[in-house]
Amino acid sequence: MTVEPDTQTQEHGMQIGFIGLGNMGGPMAANLVAAGYSVTGYDPVPAAADKGAAAGIRMAASADEAVSGAGVVITMLPTGTHVLNVLSGDGDTLGLLAAASPDALFLECSTISVDDATTAHALMLETGHRGLDAPVSGGVVGAEAGTLTFMVGGAGEDFAAALPLLEVMGGRVVHCGGPGAGQAAKICNNMILGVSMIAVSEAFVLGEELGLTHQALFDVASAASGQCWALTTNCPVPGPVPASPANRDYRPGFAAALMAKDLGLAADALDSTGVRAELGRRAGEIFRELTDSGSGGEDFSAVINTIRAATASDGSDGNISNSASMNSTDSNSNTAGQPAGQSGAV
């Protein structure tokens, strides 16, 4: 279904093609429309397309059609294979590089490998376009609020041209270096995040075994040297941080399956560089195990439930049921169950 754009979307006189209107791309494109940009979008999932149309995005019947006449093309897709295929076409389609206007500026916002990002950038230049890799951090909440952090790789003049758009969708925009540097920063950032969430979760389970309430541990660690984003923003237990996914049955947020994917990209980069990173690799294994267990659609902070389950199966001296009962006397109680969540796919 094609929807004509509202008159306000013509304010900036720039046509944007947006490919991938899922949990992240949809809100990002909607924020551009709200800021007065003309956005034509495409997503093969009917629900995503319908939601995009409701947000004022003109919906096209194909990716090629969405970027026809566009001076800026934004992609937000699941994997590097998806990105390279949609850029070059698959035999039945022209591909975005052929369908877009000459000298279009491509903003590739998916999280993919550094190798795929540099390959995509080379293809953009070979076909007469400009390109940036610009992955994001901040999750669905950040996409909806327009407070994402963009990590950008590419030429300085292209970064300057894209900056007004990126500032609509994000609260912080960092030029990290040349092609692929944005993806490199994203992979490193998420390796830190994955490791720190496991550490925070292990600490809370240990605190339960030692008789600490969730609130007491939070009050100490959040104001001490244990302070980190995984604790103060995405706390893995309900109560101390009301906005954290733990308070809504671990609905993402940032899905565990996506963390497993990103840590897989980090492992590939570790292999290619020869860097020894034992915690990063082990974190990837833990999140893959969480995903394989059927909890990949839950927020990545649900890893705490895996730690509790492993503690119980090990037959530790601490009594989980007793400590859980202790915690149930305040508003910060949690259980060892693994509640179902929503898909966190982009």
Side-chain angles (χ1 to χ4, degrees), residues 73-137:
V73 176
I74 303 175
T75 47
M76 177 59 90
L77 300 168
T79 70
T81 298
H82 290 97
V83 171
L84 295 177
N85 285 347
V86 78
L87 287 176
S88 298
D90 58 8
D92 295 324
T93 62
L94 284 175
L96 304 185
L97 296 172
S101 295
D103 195 36
L105 176 59
F106 280 73
L107 307 182
E108 212 304 283
C109 296
S110 319
T111 297
I112 60 177
S113 72
V114 175
D115 287 345
D116 284 342
T118 54
T119 297
H121 186 267
L123 290 171
M124 293 166 191
L125 296 185
E126 288 171 7
T127 51
H129 299 297
R130 298 165 290 150
L132 299 168
D133 51 288
V136 303
S137 179

Side-chain angles (χ1 to χ4, degrees), residues 16-223:
I16 300 170
F18 205 117
I19 311 303
L21 300 173
N23 292 341
M24 295 294 292
M28 291 164 64
N31 285 333
L32 290 171
V33 170
Y37 288 95
S38 176
V39 181
T40 301
Y42 173 75
D43 196 293
V45 178
D50 290 345
K51 192 171 182 178
I57 301 165
R58 180 195 290 132
M59 297 308 301
S62 70
D64 288 356
E65 180 183 319
V67 306
S68 178
V72 175
V73 176
I74 303 175
T75 47
M76 177 59 90
L77 300 168
T79 70
T81 298
H82 290 97
V83 171
L84 295 177
N85 285 347
V86 78
L87 287 176
S88 298
D90 58 8
D92 295 324
T93 62
L94 284 175
L96 304 185
L97 296 172
S101 295
D103 195 36
L105 176 59
F106 280 73
L107 307 182
E108 212 304 283
C109 296
S110 319
T111 297
I112 60 177
S113 72
V114 175
D115 287 345
D116 284 342
T118 54
T119 297
H121 186 267
L123 290 171
M124 293 166 191
L125 296 185
E126 288 171 7
T127 51
H129 299 297
R130 298 165 290 150
L132 299 168
D133 51 288
V136 303
S137 179
V140 176
V141 172
E144 292 173 345
T147 57
L148 294 168
T149 294
F150 281 88
M151 295 150 272
V152 187
E157 57 269 28
D158 295 335
F159 174 76
L163 188 57
L165 298 175
L166 298 175
E167 288 180 334
V168 168
M169 299 181 286
R172 182 169 174 79
V173 183
V174 180
H175 187 205
C176 299
Q183 294 294 348
K186 174 65 184 289
I187 290 169
C188 292
N189 177 79
N190 278 22
M191 188 167 72
I192 295 170
L193 178 59
V195 171
S196 62
M197 179 55 76
I198 293 170
V200 169
S201 297
E202 288 179 346
F204 270 105
V205 175
L206 177 59
E208 291 167 2
E209 294 293 327
L210 295 174
L212 286 172
T213 65
H214 295 155
Q215 191 65 50
L217 178 55
F218 178 86
D219 288 346
V220 170
S222 64

Side-chain angles (χ1 to χ4, degrees), residues 211-265:
L212 286 172
T213 65
H214 295 155
Q215 191 65 50
L217 178 55
F218 178 86
D219 288 346
V220 170
S222 64
S225 54
Q227 190 278 332
C228 60
W229 189 94
L231 173 67
T232 57
T233 299
N234 217 73
C235 186
V237 297
V241 180
S244 74
N247 295 283
R248 53 179 192 272
D249 293 333
Y250 296 98
R251 294 194 301 272
F254 182 54
L258 295 181
M259 176 56 80
K261 168 202 163 186
D262 289 359
L263 289 172
L265 295 175

